[in-house]
């Protein structure tokens, strides 16, 4: 079984539903009376509710837009707002502009925020501010993702660079629900900062990242999470091939292929994939590159256009542009390739398809004009400036395109495109987000300000959009092909219950009703499940992972449940069974419920006792974090016995995580550090000298407390077996504190292995 299908089997079973197979509307009952539903007649066709626009292709049907502007004289600048400076792309919905920004840069309150402004005036209406924590993303890359608006409810969805995923009321700015994708699902928040953009499909909001997770899903993969957009409940959870080479930021395109709803995206494994958006079931994949794909695909009918600027899969050339037949299924690398042109380096800016021509900006600012039927080049135009990261927009017969330092207006011509206007930005001002069009205005985000461009007396108007493609309606004879259990992932305490709800889908991923289908539930790993789909965890204070399986009409689905008791916890590994691995080394696994721990850690014998080892043989796993449980814990102390090996005189780094802070015993620096945002120590950190030796056991203790809205952190280290010192080795106060978070572990074993034992977490 392929990794992606294994992930489906494990993930789909976790979502609570009723035992009858409901109609598609039944999920609305989960949030009855809690959401504001906006009638379709109130959804404005001139809004730009998602990153690539209402058609997800960078095209606006609006007319009467500007041909030129001058930022120095203010010509055609309706307003500009330095408070909205960003690297993200804004959206406009219901008269409001929403964008992700950095908050209070280079201060102790440096953070990320979603900002709402009046789209007509730029007046800031509200801010939703949230800390960046346990992340390697540098501060200048905050706002890498783009928010997504849901016109039907007025809600806005945003993913922070550290993996905090938020559902926010678009009117008030209040957080309706949130999920910490790092602590709950193992999202990797890397130095590269690539963070994905959410997409909304029916009652789902879908987001992805490279994740590790727990149990059988501990191996890293580019995984998608589909949440119920109203409640934050996990509906399905699936990934592409294991151990991808890259993180990625390719935003999925929602489409209809051969009559089937599809979500098409570039994956961290270097392939283009299509999944069913309601189920996460894979439709096809096309292997394009050896590394991750970052641009968003263009879909026209059943054809997908995609490009990349990394290594090609079949030779030593770099870069390729491809057309794929999206009507096929399975691995379509050979059968689905319509054409492929190599050594076209389009890896950051997503292309346009306008009037039978593809316009693609490569990484060196060359605009390629390509025949979409053959892949042959029609023409090319070079833009001014440095590298291109922003994606172009087509509107009113013009292409608006930005390199990082220069704005361009292009007009399509017989042999390509002509630059008819350009503006060079001020020194230090750059464009990373893309321009958008809404209500006769162009919104342009830069690292210095947000520009609103347009004519003072413009009357917004637009040509009619083409009719969207339609799915083949489910037929009366459709056979059930897929079973789904919701929620697909749960985290509860002993004795608590989960009510599962079950859905049935046909082979095209469409929900079908079959009230006569009989459901059979079973459970592995602890707990009981009733005939009506109610799971009850065992009351014992144990850390367990359970798999609830449901069978119906020859189909099977499963849901995973982590059961994590209240504090205190103790892990000494003495009862962990060991078995010989391929190298004939006896080893066991860390607790099944820990996020991101298995695969990178093993239980082994050391000097006659069982200890957990962070291995140094996984190149991309030698520096990692793992988490142990609920994200709402606060005011607790984590303690562990630790030991570092040595290699060529170098020591590792050993860390404990509490309340979204790390206490790091730094070997080569011979110091002790408390921090939260790893790559931005100026935001908050404290470091003191601390000498320690290799191959010697120490006890580390890290206490997090919330006092008057601040986080107070204390740490100490002493040789194991000696009396605990009265004084703390290090103490720090974070004025803009993280007030809750899961306990966990940090380790950097590039230079030598790390050993841990006798881990305890207790309430203060």
């Amino acid at each position: 079984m392929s990794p992606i299908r294994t992930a489906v089997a494990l993930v789909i079973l976790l979502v609570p539903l009723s035992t009858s197979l409901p109609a598609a509307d039944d999920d609305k009952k989960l949030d009855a009376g809690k959401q504001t539903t906006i009638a379709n007649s109130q959804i404005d066709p001139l809004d730009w509710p998602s990153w690539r626009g209402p058609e997800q292709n960078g095209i606006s049907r609006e007319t009467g837009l500007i041909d030129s502007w001058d930022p120095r004289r203010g010509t055609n600048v309706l307003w500009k707002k330095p408070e909205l400076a960003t690297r993200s792309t804004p959206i406009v919905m219901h008269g409001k502009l929403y964008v992700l920004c950095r908050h209070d840069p280079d201060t102790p309150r440096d953070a990320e925020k979603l900002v709402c402004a009046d789209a007509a005036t730029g007046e800031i209406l509200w801010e939703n501010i949230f800390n960046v924590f346990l992340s390697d993303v540098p501060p200048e890359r905050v706002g890498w993702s783009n928010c997504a608006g849901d016109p039907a409810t007025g809600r806005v969805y945003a993913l922070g660079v550290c993996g905090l995923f938020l559902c926010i009321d678009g009117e008030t700015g209040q957080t309706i629900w949130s999920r910490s994708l790092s602590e709950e699902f193992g999202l990797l928040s890397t130095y590269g900062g690539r963070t994905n953009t959410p997409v909304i499909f029916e009652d789902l909001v879908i987001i992805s990242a490279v994740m590790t997770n727990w149990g059988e899903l501990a191996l890293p993969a580019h995984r998608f999470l589909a949440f119920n957009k109203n409640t934050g409940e996990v509906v399905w959870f699936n990934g592409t091939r294991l151990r991808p080479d890259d993180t990625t930021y390719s935003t999925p395109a929602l489409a209809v292929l051969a009559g089937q709803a599809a979500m098409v995206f570039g994956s961290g494994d270097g392939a283009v994939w299509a999944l069913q958006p309601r189920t996460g079931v894979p439709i096809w994949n096309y292997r394009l590159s050896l590394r991750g794909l970052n641009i968003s695909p263009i879909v026209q009918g059943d054809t997908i256009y995609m490009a990349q600027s990394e290594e090609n899969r079949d030779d030593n050339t770099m870069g390729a542009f491809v057309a794929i037949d999206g009507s096929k299924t399975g691995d379509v690398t050979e059968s689905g390739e319509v054409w492929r042109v190599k050594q076209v380096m389009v890896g950051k800016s997503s292309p346009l398809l306008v009037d039978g021509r593809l316009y693609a900006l490569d990484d060196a600012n060359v605009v390629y004009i390509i025949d979409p039927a053959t892949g042959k080049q029609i023409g090319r135009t070079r833009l001014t400036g440095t590298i291109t990261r922003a994606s172009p927009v087509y509107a009113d017969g013009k292409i608006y395109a930005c390199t990082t330092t220069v704005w361009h207006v292009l007009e399509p011509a017989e042999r390509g495109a002509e630059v008819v206007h350009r503006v060079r930005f001020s020194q230090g001002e750059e464009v990373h987000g893309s321009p958008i069009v809404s209500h006769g205005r162009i919104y342009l985000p830069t690292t210095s300000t947000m520009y609103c461009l347009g004519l003072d007396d413009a009357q917004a108007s637009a040509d009619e959009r083409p009719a969207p493609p339609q799915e083949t309606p489910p037929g009366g004879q459709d056979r059930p092909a897929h079973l789904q259990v919701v929620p697909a992932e749960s985290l509860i305490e002993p004795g608590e219950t989960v009510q599962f709800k079950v859905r049935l889908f046909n082979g095209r991923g469409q929900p079908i009703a079959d009230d006569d289908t009989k459901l059979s539930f079973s459970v592995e790993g602890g707990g009981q499940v009733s005939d009506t789909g109610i799971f009850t965890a065992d009351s014992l204070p144990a850390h367990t992972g359970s798999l609830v399986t449901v069978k119906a009409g020859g189909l099977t689905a499963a849901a995973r449940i982590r059961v994590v008791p209240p504090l205190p916890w103790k892990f000494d590994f003495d009862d962990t069974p060991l078995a010989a691995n391929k190298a004939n080394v006896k080893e066991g696994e860390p607790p099944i419920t820990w996020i991101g721990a298995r695969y990178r850690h093993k239980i082994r014998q050391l000097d006659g006792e069982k200890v957990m080892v962070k291995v140094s043989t996984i190149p991309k796993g030698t520096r990692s974090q793992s988490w142990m449980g609920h994200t709402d814990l606060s005011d607790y102390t984590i303690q562990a016995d630790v030991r570092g090996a040595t290699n060529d005189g170098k020591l590792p780094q050993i860390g404990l995580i509490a309340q979204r802070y790390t206490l790091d015993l730094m070997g080569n620096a011979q110091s002790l550090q408390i921090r939260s945002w790893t790559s931005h120590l100026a935001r908050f950190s404290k470091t003191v000298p601390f000498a320690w030796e290799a191959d010697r056991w120490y006890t580390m203790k890290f206490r997090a407390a919330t006092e008057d809205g601040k986080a107070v952190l204390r740490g100490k280290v002493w040789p194991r077996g000696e009396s605990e010192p009265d004084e703390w080795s290090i103490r720090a106060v974070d004025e803009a504190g993280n007030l809750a978070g899961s306990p966990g572990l940090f380790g950097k074993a590039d230079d030598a292995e790390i050993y841990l034992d006798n881990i305890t977490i207790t309430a203060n």
Side-chain angles (χ1 to χ4, degrees):
M1 183 178 285
S2 69
I4 189 165
R5 296 193 182 278
T6 301
V8 168
L10 290 172
V11 170
I12 290 174
L13 304 177
L14 297 175
V15 182
L17 310 178
S18 64
T19 53
S20 63
L21 298 172
D25 288 340
D26 279 12
D27 269 352
K28 295 177 182 176
K29 298 176 183 177
L30 294 173
D31 200 34
K34 294 184 180 180
Q35 70 166 347
T36 301
T37 300
I38 296 169
N40 288 334
S41 61
Q42 295 178 284
I43 296 176
D44 195 324
L46 300 187
D47 279 353
W48 190 277
S50 63
W51 171 61
R52 291 297 278 159
E55 300 176 41
Q56 302 178 80
N57 57 7
I59 292 176
S60 169
R61 306 291 168 178
E62 293 199 36
T63 58
L65 301 174
I66 61 167
D67 300 308
S68 63
W69 66 291
D70 187 331
R72 292 162 184 83
R73 297 181 180 178
T75 306
N76 290 335
V77 178
L78 298 177
W79 56 261
K80 66 177 184 178
K81 204 77 172 176
E83 295 92 332
L84 299 177
T86 184
R87 65 175 296 130
S88 184
T89 299
I91 64 170
V92 171
M93 183 176 69
H94 304 151
K96 297 177 178 64
L97 179 142
Y98 304 92
V99 68
L100 282 164
C101 298
R102 188 176 169 191
H103 177 70
D104 281 356
D106 301 319
T107 74
R109 307 194 77 84
D110 208 333
E112 193 166 8
K113 61 185 176 183
L114 182 71
V115 186
C116 172
D118 185 295
T121 67
E123 177 191 0
I124 293 178
L125 303 176
W126 54 255
E127 297 179 336
N128 187 310
I129 303 165
F130 45 96
N131 279 353
V132 179
F133 55 88
L134 304 180
S135 172
D136 293 335
V137 177
E140 61 271 16
R141 294 184 181 179
V142 162
W144 187 295
S145 178
N146 312 293
C147 57
D150 180 16
T153 64
R155 293 176 176 177
V156 182
Y157 299 86
L159 177 65
V161 290
C162 67
L164 189 64
F165 190 48
L166 301 164
C167 169
I168 296 172
D169 186 306
E171 286 294 320
T172 67
Q174 293 182 333
T175 298
I176 297 170
W177 56 260
S178 67
R179 304 296 297 257
S180 178
L181 302 192
S182 58
E183 297 168 287
E184 295 184 70
F185 304 99
L187 173 144
L188 302 181
S189 180
T190 65
Y191 185 84
R194 296 171 180 169
T195 313
N196 290 146
T197 297
V199 295
I200 296 165
F201 181 84
E202 296 178 346
D203 63 344
L204 303 176
V205 56
I206 304 169
I207 191 64
S208 79
V210 175
M211 307 181 193
T212 51
N213 211 249
W214 65 277
E216 297 299 322
L217 300 185
L219 289 171
H222 181 190
R223 294 189 170 102
F224 279 78
L225 277 158
F227 294 101
N228 181 298
K229 69 180 184 181
N230 300 319
T231 65
E233 190 175 50
V234 182
V235 176
W236 60 260
F237 183 24
N238 197 11
T240 61
R241 294 185 185 91
L242 297 175
R243 301 183 183 90
D245 211 37
D246 273 330
T247 53
T248 177
Y249 56 94
S250 174
T251 304
L254 296 169
V256 175
L257 303 175
Q260 178 177 196
M263 183 178 70
V264 186
F265 59 92
S267 175
D269 68 0
V272 187
W273 287 80
L275 304 183
Q276 293 177 352
R278 299 184 186 95
T279 67
V281 170
I283 302 170
W284 54 258
N285 67 87
Y286 173 93
R287 289 176 281 112
L288 178 57
S289 174
L290 297 181
R291 297 181 65 86
L293 307 178
N294 290 310
I295 71 165
S296 297
I298 291 289
V299 182
Q300 180 71 22
D302 287 339
T303 304
I304 289 85
Y305 301 97
M306 188 65 174
Q308 56 93 8
S309 60
E310 301 288 350
E311 297 94 332
N312 284 309
R313 68 173 191 271
D314 49 2
D315 57 31
N316 59 3
T317 61
M318 301 280 288
F321 208 126
V322 66
I324 304 167
D325 182 353
S327 67
K328 299 181 179 295
T329 59
D331 186 336
V332 301
T333 306
E334 302 298 332
S335 64
E337 184 174 293
V338 179
W339 53 257
R340 180 168 51 132
V341 179
K342 294 183 180 179
Q343 296 179 291
V344 177
M345 304 286 288
V346 178
K348 298 178 177 66
S349 176
S350 298
L352 293 170
L353 177 57
V354 178
D355 295 334
R357 291 182 175 185
L358 286 163
Y359 296 86
L361 279 70
D362 79 354
D363 297 354
N365 304 334
V366 174
V367 182
Y368 287 92
I369 298 90
I370 296 171
D371 183 342
T374 64
K376 292 183 179 179
Q377 183 176 306
I378 297 171
R380 56 188 288 174
T381 300
R382 182 174 291 277
L383 303 185
T384 306
T386 53
I387 193 170
T388 298
R389 292 192 175 94
S391 297
V393 169
Y394 176 79
D396 197 19
K398 299 175 280 288
I399 297 173
Y400 301 103
C402 293
T403 64
T404 51
T405 53
V406 181
W407 154 281
H408 303 79
V409 179
L410 297 88
E411 290 184 354
E414 182 180 350
R415 299 296 301 170
E418 297 178 357
V419 177
V420 297
H421 177 66
R422 67 168 58 93
V423 172
R424 182 175 292 277
F425 297 107
S426 302
Q427 182 72 27
E429 183 175 19
E430 294 187 343
V431 176
H432 301 283
S434 304
I436 69 168
V437 176
S438 181
H439 292 81
R441 310 178 192 103
I442 299 169
Y443 298 91
L444 174 64
T446 78
T447 54
S448 298
T449 192
M450 177 76 69
Y451 295 97
C452 176
L453 310 176
L455 302 172
D456 287 329
D457 56 353
Q459 299 296 315
S461 62
D463 296 332
E464 187 176 352
R465 288 185 204 158
Q470 300 297 312
E471 296 181 69
T472 301
Q477 302 302 314
D478 274 353
R479 298 181 58 185
H482 178 74
L483 201 62
Q484 185 182 80
V485 186
V486 179
E489 287 273 343
S490 299
L491 172 58
I492 62 175
E493 294 187 357
E496 291 188 338
T497 62
V498 178
Q499 170 69 68
F500 288 100
K501 183 168 59 178
V502 180
R503 288 171 171 163
L504 201 60
F505 295 85
N506 63 19
R508 295 188 302 279
Q510 297 168 309
I512 57 176
D514 189 349
D515 292 333
D516 295 329
T517 299
K518 297 188 178 186
L519 305 178
S520 172
F521 288 92
S522 61
V523 61
E524 299 175 33
Q528 302 82 39
V529 63
S530 70
D531 293 340
T532 57
I534 300 175
F535 171 83
T536 304
D538 293 335
S539 58
L540 296 174
H543 297 251
T544 58
S546 297
L547 187 71
V548 170
T549 301
V550 61
K551 295 182 179 180
L555 300 174
T556 301
R560 303 191 314 156
I561 304 170
R562 286 192 295 155
V563 180
V564 175
L567 302 179
W569 306 337
K570 181 177 181 180
F571 307 95
D572 59 16
F573 314 116
D574 291 345
D575 297 327
T576 303
L578 306 183
N581 61 17
K582 293 180 180 179
N584 203 31
V585 175
K586 287 189 175 182
E587 59 185 20
E589 298 289 352
I592 190 172
T593 54
W594 288 8
I595 295 287
R598 294 191 173 190
Y599 171 63
R600 294 160 166 168
H601 300 77
K602 299 295 179 183
I603 311 303
R604 295 176 183 165
Q605 289 276 358
L606 179 68
D607 299 335
E609 59 181 326
K610 292 179 181 178
V611 301
M612 187 170 75
V613 184
K614 179 168 177 52
V615 298
S616 58
T617 55
I618 304 171
K620 292 192 175 183
T622 54
R623 186 179 187 279
S624 67
Q625 301 174 118
S626 59
W627 292 273
M628 300 175 179
H630 302 277
T631 62
D632 60 353
L633 294 177
S634 63
D635 296 278
Y636 58 85
T637 300
I638 179 170
Q639 179 173 310
D641 293 339
V642 303
R643 172 174 163 175
T646 184
N647 184 16
D648 292 332
K650 296 181 179 179
L651 288 165
Q653 292 177 219
I654 310 172
L656 306 179
I657 294 173
Q659 208 165 296
R660 297 175 177 170
Y661 296 90
T662 301
L663 174 67
D664 188 357
L665 184 62
M666 308 173 78
N668 297 328
Q670 290 289 280
S671 60
L672 195 60
Q673 183 179 88
I674 293 176
R675 61 175 183 267
S676 180
W677 189 347
T678 308
S679 58
H680 191 23
L681 300 181
R683 207 295 282 174
F684 164 78
S685 65
K686 186 171 182 179
T687 307
V688 298
F690 191 90
W692 60 286
E693 303 171 5
D695 299 320
R696 182 179 182 184
W697 283 101
Y698 294 85
T699 299
M700 287 183 72
K701 188 173 186 177
F702 187 29
R703 174 170 293 178
T706 301
E707 299 176 12
D708 299 324
K710 304 172 186 177
V712 180
L713 298 313
R714 301 173 176 89
K716 64 174 73 172
V717 183
W718 68 94
R720 186 173 75 171
E722 296 185 6
S723 299
E724 177 181 345
D726 294 331
E727 298 297 320
W728 295 95
S729 307
I730 185 172
R731 182 183 184 276
V733 178
D734 185 3
E735 301 285 338
N738 303 310
L739 305 184
S742 169
L745 303 171
F746 166 81
K748 186 175 184 292
D750 305 63
D751 297 319
E753 289 186 334
I754 295 168
Y755 308 96
L756 301 103
D757 198 7
N758 300 316
I759 300 170
T760 62
I761 300 93
T762 56
N764 294 342

